[in-house]
């Protein structure tokens, strides 16, 4: 299996990110070799480094995260979307209602391949 993110799910809160991860794990047990991962805004440098380690050592096929951290990973060139085939914005209305979050999501979205399912 490829070591790249194929599906990106952006959630407006850390809690929603973990709920989504749980649901993806429930379904992915039927698909051998599919890995899910979650990155969300943490309050410490250690949490950020842990997120980077997940991406580099055990790259998930399905990545779920909050806009702030996903954008930070993109800016730091720690996350590439070259092979991304699906972009999911969970609870789109809530994400786009917040102006700062909207800007981050637009930046992330614009950094993804033009050919993808949204």
């Amino acid at each position: 299996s490829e070591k790249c993110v194929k599906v990106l799910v952006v959630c407006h809160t850390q809690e929603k990110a973990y709920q989504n991860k749980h649901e993806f794990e429930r379904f992915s047990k039927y698909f051998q070799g599919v890995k899910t991962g979650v990155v969300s805004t943490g309050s410490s440098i250690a949490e950020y480094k842990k997120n980077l380690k997940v991406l580099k050592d055990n790259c998930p096929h399905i990545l779920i995260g909050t806009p702030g951290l996903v954008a930070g990973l993109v800016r730091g060139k720690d996350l590439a979307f070259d092979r991304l085939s699906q972009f999911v914005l969970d609870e789109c209305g809530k994400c786009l209602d917040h102006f700062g979050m909207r800007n981050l999501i637009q930046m992330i979205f614009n950094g993804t391949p033009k050919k993808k399912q949204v």
Side-chain angles (χ1 to χ4, degrees):
S1 69
E2 294 180 79
K3 284 190 145 196
C4 63
V5 176
K6 300 292 261 176
V7 178
L8 176 63
V9 181
V10 179
C11 304
H12 70 288
T13 66
Q14 183 175 348
E15 179 183 0
K16 285 297 292 179
Y18 280 98
Q19 287 174 0
N20 277 300
K21 182 179 189 298
H22 173 73
E23 291 303 313
F24 274 104
E25 285 175 342
R26 259 183 21 153
F27 291 110
S28 67
K29 68 182 175 186
Y30 300 107
F31 302 99
Q32 188 175 17
V34 174
K35 294 180 280 187
T36 60
V38 66
V39 290
S40 60
T41 308
S43 56
S44 69
I45 301 272
E47 178 112 11
Y48 183 77
K49 287 181 180 179
K50 178 181 154 195
N51 286 323
L52 287 178
K53 184 168 177 46
V54 166
L55 291 175
K56 291 179 180 179
D57 296 347
N58 194 20
C59 187
H61 301 103
I62 302 167
L63 181 66
I64 304 138
T66 54
L69 187 57
V70 173
L73 293 170
V74 171
R75 279 191 209 110
K77 303 205 186 299
D78 295 308
L79 182 61
F81 295 121
D82 307 0
R83 310 293 260 309
L84 191 77
S85 58
Q86 281 113 16
F87 181 93
V88 178
L89 185 54
D90 185 43
E91 295 192 13
C92 180
K94 288 184 180 180
C95 290
L96 298 178
D97 279 347
H98 302 291
F99 186 72
M101 197 176 286
R102 180 185 311 157
N103 289 341
L104 291 173
I105 292 166
Q106 287 175 331
M107 190 271 296
I108 295 165
F109 186 81
N110 289 335
T112 62
K114 300 229 182 288
K115 188 175 182 177
K116 63 184 168 295
Q117 183 179 6
V118 179

